[in-house]
PDB file of all heavy atoms in Angstrom:
ATOM      1  N   ASP A 128      11.507 -18.186   3.256  1.00  0.00           N
ATOM      2  CA  ASP A 128      12.327 -17.359   4.184  1.00  0.00           C
ATOM      3  C   ASP A 128      12.068 -15.900   3.933  1.00  0.00           C
ATOM      4  O   ASP A 128      12.051 -15.116   4.841  1.00  0.00           O
ATOM      5  CB  ASP A 128      13.764 -17.654   4.187  1.00  0.00           C
ATOM      6  CG  ASP A 128      14.111 -19.071   4.476  1.00  0.00           C
ATOM      7  OD1 ASP A 128      13.258 -19.803   5.248  1.00  0.00           O
ATOM      8  OD2 ASP A 128      15.254 -19.607   4.108  1.00  0.00           O
ATOM      9  N   LEU A 129      11.911 -15.485   2.703  1.00  0.00           N
ATOM     10  CA  LEU A 129      11.743 -14.057   2.354  1.00  0.00           C
ATOM     11  C   LEU A 129      10.357 -13.641   2.948  1.00  0.00           C
ATOM     12  O   LEU A 129      10.326 -12.610   3.552  1.00  0.00           O
ATOM     13  CB  LEU A 129      11.697 -13.914   0.890  1.00  0.00           C
ATOM     14  CG  LEU A 129      11.581 -12.521   0.344  1.00  0.00           C
ATOM     15  CD1 LEU A 129      12.226 -12.422  -1.090  1.00  0.00           C
ATOM     16  CD2 LEU A 129      10.160 -12.085   0.089  1.00  0.00           C
ATOM     17  N   ARG A 130       9.390 -14.615   2.716  1.00  0.00           N
ATOM     18  CA  ARG A 130       8.049 -14.162   3.243  1.00  0.00           C
ATOM     19  C   ARG A 130       7.985 -14.081   4.754  1.00  0.00           C
ATOM     20  O   ARG A 130       7.256 -13.290   5.446  1.00  0.00           O
ATOM     21  CB  ARG A 130       6.988 -15.148   2.766  1.00  0.00           C
ATOM     22  CG  ARG A 130       5.610 -14.967   3.169  1.00  0.00           C
ATOM     23  CD  ARG A 130       4.622 -15.616   2.125  1.00  0.00           C
ATOM     24  NE  ARG A 130       4.716 -15.017   0.859  1.00  0.00           N
ATOM     25  CZ  ARG A 130       4.533 -15.519  -0.330  1.00  0.00           C
ATOM     26  NH1 ARG A 130       4.255 -16.806  -0.310  1.00  0.00           N
ATOM     27  NH2 ARG A 130       4.641 -14.848  -1.278  1.00  0.00           N
ATOM     28  N   GLU A 131       8.705 -14.944   5.506  1.00  0.00           N
ATOM     29  CA  GLU A 131       8.811 -15.061   6.986  1.00  0.00           C
ATOM     30  C   GLU A 131       9.279 -13.724   7.400  1.00  0.00           C
ATOM     31  O   GLU A 131       8.927 -13.185   8.441  1.00  0.00           O
ATOM     32  CB  GLU A 131       9.535 -16.155   7.455  1.00  0.00           C
ATOM     33  CG  GLU A 131       9.690 -16.255   8.877  1.00  0.00           C
ATOM     34  CD  GLU A 131      10.466 -17.496   9.378  1.00  0.00           C
ATOM     35  OE1 GLU A 131      10.804 -18.336   8.449  1.00  0.00           O
ATOM     36  OE2 GLU A 131      10.727 -17.639  10.603  1.00  0.00           O
ATOM     37  N   ASN A 132      10.357 -13.101   6.747  1.00  0.00           N
ATOM     38  CA  ASN A 132      10.995 -11.937   7.176  1.00  0.00           C
ATOM     39  C   ASN A 132      11.515 -11.135   5.949  1.00  0.00           C
ATOM     40  O   ASN A 132      12.741 -11.375   5.682  1.00  0.00           O
ATOM     41  CB  ASN A 132      12.092 -12.144   8.301  1.00  0.00           C
ATOM     42  CG  ASN A 132      12.665 -10.907   8.714  1.00  0.00           C
ATOM     43  OD1 ASN A 132      12.226  -9.674   8.410  1.00  0.00           O
ATOM     44  ND2 ASN A 132      13.642 -10.986   9.592  1.00  0.00           N
ATOM     45  N   ILE A 133      10.767 -10.362   5.361  1.00  0.00           N
ATOM     46  CA  ILE A 133      11.241  -9.701   4.188  1.00  0.00           C
ATOM     47  C   ILE A 133      12.448  -8.846   4.298  1.00  0.00           C
ATOM     48  O   ILE A 133      13.245  -8.579   3.381  1.00  0.00           O
ATOM     49  CB  ILE A 133       9.929  -9.006   3.333  1.00  0.00           C
ATOM     50  CG1 ILE A 133      10.364  -8.658   1.976  1.00  0.00           C
ATOM     51  CG2 ILE A 133       9.679  -7.722   4.246  1.00  0.00           C
ATOM     52  CD1 ILE A 133       9.212  -8.183   1.181  1.00  0.00           C
ATOM     53  N   ARG A 134      12.682  -8.292   5.591  1.00  0.00           N
ATOM     54  CA  ARG A 134      13.771  -7.465   5.805  1.00  0.00           C
ATOM     55  C   ARG A 134      15.154  -8.205   5.590  1.00  0.00           C
ATOM     56  O   ARG A 134      16.141  -7.482   5.430  1.00  0.00           O
ATOM     57  CB  ARG A 134      13.671  -6.919   7.192  1.00  0.00           C
ATOM     58  CG  ARG A 134      12.552  -5.833   7.359  1.00  0.00           C
ATOM     59  CD  ARG A 134      12.730  -5.192   8.764  1.00  0.00           C
ATOM     60  NE  ARG A 134      13.814  -4.427   8.912  1.00  0.00           N
ATOM     61  CZ  ARG A 134      13.979  -3.221   8.568  1.00  0.00           C
ATOM     62  NH1 ARG A 134      13.066  -2.486   7.963  1.00  0.00           N
ATOM     63  NH2 ARG A 134      15.240  -2.581   8.734  1.00  0.00           N
ATOM     64  N   GLU A 135      15.119  -9.432   5.612  1.00  0.00           N
ATOM     65  CA  GLU A 135      16.226 -10.231   5.322  1.00  0.00           C
ATOM     66  C   GLU A 135      16.758 -10.011   3.856  1.00  0.00           C
ATOM     67  O   GLU A 135      18.047 -10.106   3.502  1.00  0.00           O
ATOM     68  CB  GLU A 135      16.103 -11.669   5.572  1.00  0.00           C
ATOM     69  CG  GLU A 135      16.232 -12.097   7.106  1.00  0.00           C
ATOM     70  CD  GLU A 135      17.604 -11.807   7.597  1.00  0.00           C
ATOM     71  OE1 GLU A 135      18.525 -12.329   7.073  1.00  0.00           O
ATOM     72  OE2 GLU A 135      17.695 -11.091   8.555  1.00  0.00           O
ATOM     73  N   SER A 136      15.879  -9.563   2.971  1.00  0.00           N
ATOM     74  CA  SER A 136      16.335  -9.261   1.594  1.00  0.00           C
ATOM     75  C   SER A 136      17.012  -8.024   1.389  1.00  0.00           C
ATOM     76  O   SER A 136      17.634  -7.726   0.403  1.00  0.00           O
ATOM     77  CB  SER A 136      14.980  -9.299   0.835  1.00  0.00           C
ATOM     78  OG  SER A 136      14.204  -8.194   0.934  1.00  0.00           O
ATOM     79  N   GLU A 137      16.793  -7.069   2.376  1.00  0.00           N
ATOM     80  CA  GLU A 137      17.268  -5.692   2.225  1.00  0.00           C
ATOM     81  C   GLU A 137      18.800  -5.630   2.042  1.00  0.00           C
ATOM     82  O   GLU A 137      19.303  -4.929   1.051  1.00  0.00           O
ATOM     83  CB  GLU A 137      16.798  -4.829   3.412  1.00  0.00           C
ATOM     84  CG  GLU A 137      17.181  -3.310   3.239  1.00  0.00           C
ATOM     85  CD  GLU A 137      18.542  -3.041   3.700  1.00  0.00           C
ATOM     86  OE1 GLU A 137      19.121  -3.683   4.549  1.00  0.00           O
ATOM     87  OE2 GLU A 137      19.098  -1.906   3.230  1.00  0.00           O
ATOM     88  N   PRO A 138      19.654  -6.344   2.792  1.00  0.00           N
ATOM     89  CA  PRO A 138      21.091  -6.321   2.564  1.00  0.00           C
ATOM     90  C   PRO A 138      21.416  -6.867   1.210  1.00  0.00           C
ATOM     91  O   PRO A 138      22.413  -6.227   0.480  1.00  0.00           O
ATOM     92  CB  PRO A 138      21.586  -7.127   3.742  1.00  0.00           C
ATOM     93  CG  PRO A 138      20.645  -7.126   4.767  1.00  0.00           C
ATOM     94  CD  PRO A 138      19.247  -7.059   4.024  1.00  0.00           C
ATOM     95  N   MET A 139      20.848  -7.842   0.665  1.00  0.00           N
ATOM     96  CA  MET A 139      21.171  -8.471  -0.576  1.00  0.00           C
ATOM     97  C   MET A 139      20.783  -7.477  -1.693  1.00  0.00           C
ATOM     98  O   MET A 139      21.436  -7.483  -2.807  1.00  0.00           O
ATOM     99  CB  MET A 139      20.373  -9.656  -0.774  1.00  0.00           C
ATOM    100  CG  MET A 139      20.736 -10.829   0.150  1.00  0.00           C
ATOM    101  SD  MET A 139      19.857 -12.249  -0.400  1.00  0.00           S
ATOM    102  CE  MET A 139      20.429 -13.414   0.836  1.00  0.00           C
ATOM    103  N   LEU A 140      19.837  -6.469  -1.555  1.00  0.00           N
ATOM    104  CA  LEU A 140      19.542  -5.581  -2.559  1.00  0.00           C
ATOM    105  C   LEU A 140      20.384  -4.163  -2.305  1.00  0.00           C
ATOM    106  O   LEU A 140      20.825  -3.563  -3.272  1.00  0.00           O
ATOM    107  CB  LEU A 140      17.981  -5.074  -2.320  1.00  0.00           C
ATOM    108  CG  LEU A 140      17.163  -6.277  -2.785  1.00  0.00           C
ATOM    109  CD1 LEU A 140      15.784  -5.976  -2.269  1.00  0.00           C
ATOM    110  CD2 LEU A 140      17.171  -6.563  -4.211  1.00  0.00           C
ATOM    111  N   ARG A 141      20.662  -3.972  -1.057  1.00  0.00           N
ATOM    112  CA  ARG A 141      21.614  -2.796  -0.874  1.00  0.00           C
ATOM    113  C   ARG A 141      22.903  -2.927  -1.349  1.00  0.00           C
ATOM    114  O   ARG A 141      23.604  -1.938  -1.920  1.00  0.00           O
ATOM    115  CB  ARG A 141      21.666  -2.490   0.749  1.00  0.00           C
ATOM    116  CG  ARG A 141      22.332  -1.259   1.108  1.00  0.00           C
ATOM    117  CD  ARG A 141      22.489  -1.123   2.577  1.00  0.00           C
ATOM    118  NE  ARG A 141      21.853  -1.969   3.467  1.00  0.00           N
ATOM    119  CZ  ARG A 141      22.356  -2.397   4.636  1.00  0.00           C
ATOM    120  NH1 ARG A 141      23.574  -2.035   4.982  1.00  0.00           N
ATOM    121  NH2 ARG A 141      21.600  -3.211   5.572  1.00  0.00           N
ATOM    122  N   GLU A 142      23.451  -4.177  -1.289  1.00  0.00           N
ATOM    123  CA  GLU A 142      24.792  -4.376  -1.789  1.00  0.00           C
ATOM    124  C   GLU A 142      25.028  -4.638  -3.188  1.00  0.00           C
ATOM    125  O   GLU A 142      25.996  -4.750  -3.805  1.00  0.00           O
ATOM    126  CB  GLU A 142      25.453  -5.545  -1.027  1.00  0.00           C
ATOM    127  CG  GLU A 142      24.864  -6.919  -1.476  1.00  0.00           C
ATOM    128  CD  GLU A 142      25.427  -8.043  -0.751  1.00  0.00           C
ATOM    129  OE1 GLU A 142      26.406  -8.016  -0.092  1.00  0.00           O
ATOM    130  OE2 GLU A 142      24.739  -9.194  -0.610  1.00  0.00           O
ATOM    131  N   ALA A 143      23.821  -4.710  -4.033  1.00  0.00           N
ATOM    132  CA  ALA A 143      23.929  -5.108  -5.337  1.00  0.00           C
ATOM    133  C   ALA A 143      24.266  -3.888  -6.263  1.00  0.00           C
ATOM    134  O   ALA A 143      24.007  -2.779  -5.978  1.00  0.00           O
ATOM    135  CB  ALA A 143      22.542  -5.613  -5.799  1.00  0.00           C
ATOM    136  N   ASP A 144      25.068  -4.246  -7.368  1.00  0.00           N
ATOM    137  CA  ASP A 144      25.304  -3.298  -8.456  1.00  0.00           C
ATOM    138  C   ASP A 144      24.215  -3.385  -9.562  1.00  0.00           C
ATOM    139  O   ASP A 144      23.917  -2.393 -10.199  1.00  0.00           O
ATOM    140  CB  ASP A 144      26.646  -3.624  -8.939  1.00  0.00           C
ATOM    141  CG  ASP A 144      27.823  -3.508  -7.990  1.00  0.00           C
ATOM    142  OD1 ASP A 144      28.051  -2.456  -7.439  1.00  0.00           O
ATOM    143  OD2 ASP A 144      28.397  -4.495  -7.737  1.00  0.00           O
ATOM    144  N   VAL A 145      23.770  -4.642  -9.691  1.00  0.00           N
ATOM    145  CA  VAL A 145      22.680  -4.938 -10.692  1.00  0.00           C
ATOM    146  C   VAL A 145      21.634  -5.696 -10.058  1.00  0.00           C
ATOM    147  O   VAL A 145      22.050  -6.791  -9.447  1.00  0.00           O
ATOM    148  CB  VAL A 145      23.269  -5.504 -12.102  1.00  0.00           C
ATOM    149  CG1 VAL A 145      22.108  -5.949 -12.964  1.00  0.00           C
ATOM    150  CG2 VAL A 145      24.311  -4.615 -12.689  1.00  0.00           C
ATOM    151  N   ILE A 146      20.348  -5.433 -10.179  1.00  0.00           N
ATOM    152  CA  ILE A 146      19.250  -6.159  -9.916  1.00  0.00           C
ATOM    153  C   ILE A 146      18.473  -6.576 -11.048  1.00  0.00           C
ATOM    154  O   ILE A 146      18.099  -5.765 -11.755  1.00  0.00           O
ATOM    155  CB  ILE A 146      18.443  -5.559  -8.804  1.00  0.00           C
ATOM    156  CG1 ILE A 146      19.211  -5.154  -7.485  1.00  0.00           C
ATOM    157  CG2 ILE A 146      17.233  -6.295  -8.448  1.00  0.00           C
ATOM    158  CD1 ILE A 146      18.517  -4.265  -6.463  1.00  0.00           C
ATOM    159  N   SER A 147      18.190  -7.942 -11.149  1.00  0.00           N
ATOM    160  CA  SER A 147      17.449  -8.528 -12.289  1.00  0.00           C
ATOM    161  C   SER A 147      16.184  -9.225 -11.851  1.00  0.00           C
ATOM    162  O   SER A 147      16.246 -10.254 -11.137  1.00  0.00           O
ATOM    163  CB  SER A 147      18.386  -9.444 -13.125  1.00  0.00           C
ATOM    164  OG  SER A 147      17.583  -9.986 -14.152  1.00  0.00           O
ATOM    165  N   ILE A 148      15.075  -8.631 -12.131  1.00  0.00           N
ATOM    166  CA  ILE A 148      13.794  -9.097 -11.723  1.00  0.00           C
ATOM    167  C   ILE A 148      13.027  -9.833 -12.830  1.00  0.00           C
ATOM    168  O   ILE A 148      12.791  -9.267 -13.825  1.00  0.00           O
ATOM    169  CB  ILE A 148      12.933  -7.999 -11.174  1.00  0.00           C
ATOM    170  CG1 ILE A 148      13.512  -7.199 -10.128  1.00  0.00           C
ATOM    171  CG2 ILE A 148      11.544  -8.565 -10.639  1.00  0.00           C
ATOM    172  CD1 ILE A 148      12.885  -5.891  -9.799  1.00  0.00           C
ATOM    173  N   ASP A 149      12.853 -11.211 -12.564  1.00  0.00           N
ATOM    174  CA  ASP A 149      12.130 -11.966 -13.648  1.00  0.00           C
ATOM    175  C   ASP A 149      10.667 -11.759 -13.163  1.00  0.00           C
ATOM    176  O   ASP A 149      10.162 -11.959 -12.047  1.00  0.00           O
ATOM    177  CB  ASP A 149      12.426 -13.418 -13.531  1.00  0.00           C
ATOM    178  CG  ASP A 149      11.834 -14.103 -14.614  1.00  0.00           C
ATOM    179  OD1 ASP A 149      10.646 -13.951 -14.937  1.00  0.00           O
ATOM    180  OD2 ASP A 149      12.632 -15.100 -15.216  1.00  0.00           O
ATOM    181  N   PHE A 150       9.694 -11.257 -14.063  1.00  0.00           N
ATOM    182  CA  PHE A 150       8.235 -11.013 -13.861  1.00  0.00           C
ATOM    183  C   PHE A 150       7.688 -12.260 -13.426  1.00  0.00           C
ATOM    184  O   PHE A 150       6.616 -12.285 -12.623  1.00  0.00           O
ATOM    185  CB  PHE A 150       7.591 -10.549 -15.143  1.00  0.00           C
ATOM    186  CG  PHE A 150       6.333  -9.985 -14.916  1.00  0.00           C
ATOM    187  CD1 PHE A 150       6.248  -8.839 -14.053  1.00  0.00           C
ATOM    188  CD2 PHE A 150       5.289 -10.389 -15.451  1.00  0.00           C
ATOM    189  CE1 PHE A 150       4.984  -8.188 -13.860  1.00  0.00           C
ATOM    190  CE2 PHE A 150       3.973  -9.863 -15.346  1.00  0.00           C
ATOM    191  CZ  PHE A 150       3.882  -8.744 -14.434  1.00  0.00           C
ATOM    192  N   GLY A 151       8.173 -13.570 -13.771  1.00  0.00           N
ATOM    193  CA  GLY A 151       7.676 -14.731 -13.414  1.00  0.00           C
ATOM    194  C   GLY A 151       7.907 -15.086 -11.884  1.00  0.00           C
ATOM    195  O   GLY A 151       7.528 -16.129 -11.425  1.00  0.00           O
ATOM    196  N   ALA A 152       8.592 -14.154 -11.173  1.00  0.00           N
ATOM    197  CA  ALA A 152       8.849 -14.440  -9.735  1.00  0.00           C
ATOM    198  C   ALA A 152       7.579 -14.279  -9.043  1.00  0.00           C
ATOM    199  O   ALA A 152       7.405 -14.624  -7.856  1.00  0.00           O
ATOM    200  CB  ALA A 152      10.021 -13.482  -9.132  1.00  0.00           C
ATOM    201  N   LEU A 153       6.641 -13.509  -9.648  1.00  0.00           N
ATOM    202  CA  LEU A 153       5.410 -13.145  -8.961  1.00  0.00           C
ATOM    203  C   LEU A 153       4.268 -14.183  -9.182  1.00  0.00           C
ATOM    204  O   LEU A 153       4.349 -15.056 -10.190  1.00  0.00           O
ATOM    205  CB  LEU A 153       4.781 -11.812  -9.524  1.00  0.00           C
ATOM    206  CG  LEU A 153       5.482 -10.552  -8.961  1.00  0.00           C
ATOM    207  CD1 LEU A 153       6.667 -10.175  -9.666  1.00  0.00           C
ATOM    208  CD2 LEU A 153       4.565  -9.329  -9.091  1.00  0.00           C
ATOM    209  N   LYS A 154       3.310 -14.256  -8.296  1.00  0.00           N
ATOM    210  CA  LYS A 154       2.305 -15.276  -8.594  1.00  0.00           C
ATOM    211  C   LYS A 154       1.553 -14.902  -9.948  1.00  0.00           C
ATOM    212  O   LYS A 154       1.239 -13.785 -10.159  1.00  0.00           O
ATOM    213  CB  LYS A 154       1.133 -15.023  -7.493  1.00  0.00           C
ATOM    214  CG  LYS A 154       1.601 -15.482  -6.028  1.00  0.00           C
ATOM    215  CD  LYS A 154       0.536 -15.178  -5.120  1.00  0.00           C
ATOM    216  CE  LYS A 154       0.845 -15.811  -3.743  1.00  0.00           C
ATOM    217  NZ  LYS A 154       0.615 -17.305  -3.755  1.00  0.00           N
ATOM    218  N   ALA A 155       1.227 -15.892 -10.578  1.00  0.00           N
ATOM    219  CA  ALA A 155       0.712 -15.716 -11.959  1.00  0.00           C
ATOM    220  C   ALA A 155      -0.668 -15.004 -11.944  1.00  0.00           C
ATOM    221  O   ALA A 155      -0.915 -14.052 -12.893  1.00  0.00           O
ATOM    222  CB  ALA A 155       0.519 -17.103 -12.663  1.00  0.00           C
ATOM    223  N   HIS A 156      -1.418 -15.260 -10.967  1.00  0.00           N
ATOM    224  CA  HIS A 156      -2.784 -14.621 -11.114  1.00  0.00           C
ATOM    225  C   HIS A 156      -2.552 -13.093 -10.572  1.00  0.00           C
ATOM    226  O   HIS A 156      -3.595 -12.381 -10.894  1.00  0.00           O
ATOM    227  CB  HIS A 156      -3.669 -15.301 -10.019  1.00  0.00           C
ATOM    228  CG  HIS A 156      -3.596 -15.020  -8.679  1.00  0.00           C
ATOM    229  ND1 HIS A 156      -2.821 -15.775  -7.932  1.00  0.00           N
ATOM    230  CD2 HIS A 156      -4.173 -14.122  -7.793  1.00  0.00           C
ATOM    231  CE1 HIS A 156      -2.715 -15.302  -6.660  1.00  0.00           C
ATOM    232  NE2 HIS A 156      -3.625 -14.314  -6.581  1.00  0.00           N
ATOM    233  N   GLU A 157      -1.645 -12.717 -10.018  1.00  0.00           N
ATOM    234  CA  GLU A 157      -1.270 -11.339  -9.649  1.00  0.00           C
ATOM    235  C   GLU A 157      -0.529 -10.597 -10.768  1.00  0.00           C
ATOM    236  O   GLU A 157      -0.595  -9.292 -10.724  1.00  0.00           O
ATOM    237  CB  GLU A 157      -0.693 -11.197  -8.320  1.00  0.00           C
ATOM    238  CG  GLU A 157      -1.332 -11.660  -7.076  1.00  0.00           C
ATOM    239  CD  GLU A 157      -0.919 -10.965  -5.888  1.00  0.00           C
ATOM    240  OE1 GLU A 157       0.006 -10.187  -5.861  1.00  0.00           O
ATOM    241  OE2 GLU A 157      -1.591 -11.305  -4.810  1.00  0.00           O
ATOM    242  N   ALA A 158       0.024 -11.392 -11.529  1.00  0.00           N
ATOM    243  CA  ALA A 158       0.947 -10.664 -12.624  1.00  0.00           C
ATOM    244  C   ALA A 158       0.744 -11.381 -14.036  1.00  0.00           C
ATOM    245  O   ALA A 158       1.554 -12.127 -14.451  1.00  0.00           O
ATOM    246  CB  ALA A 158       2.315 -10.640 -12.133  1.00  0.00           C
TER     247      ALA A 158
END
C-alpha cells in the first residue's frame, strides 16, 4: 500500500512524536 501511494504515509509521520526506522526495512541489496 505504501508503494502504491507513498503520500498515505505522510500523516503517520506528521503526527508522530518518535519515529523508529529499522534499517532492515530496506531491500538488502540496496542497504
Side-chain angles (χ1 to χ4, degrees):
D128 295 341
L129 185 152
R130 179 155 296 147
E131 182 178 351
N132 184 4
I133 196 169
R134 289 188 63 87
E135 280 296 301
S136 67
E137 188 273 332
M139 295 186 178
L140 296 163
R141 187 184 350 144
E142 68 181 341
D144 299 295
V145 175
I146 294 175
S147 179
I148 304 173
D149 190 320
F150 197 60
L153 282 82
K154 288 175 174 287
H156 78 273
E157 294 208 356

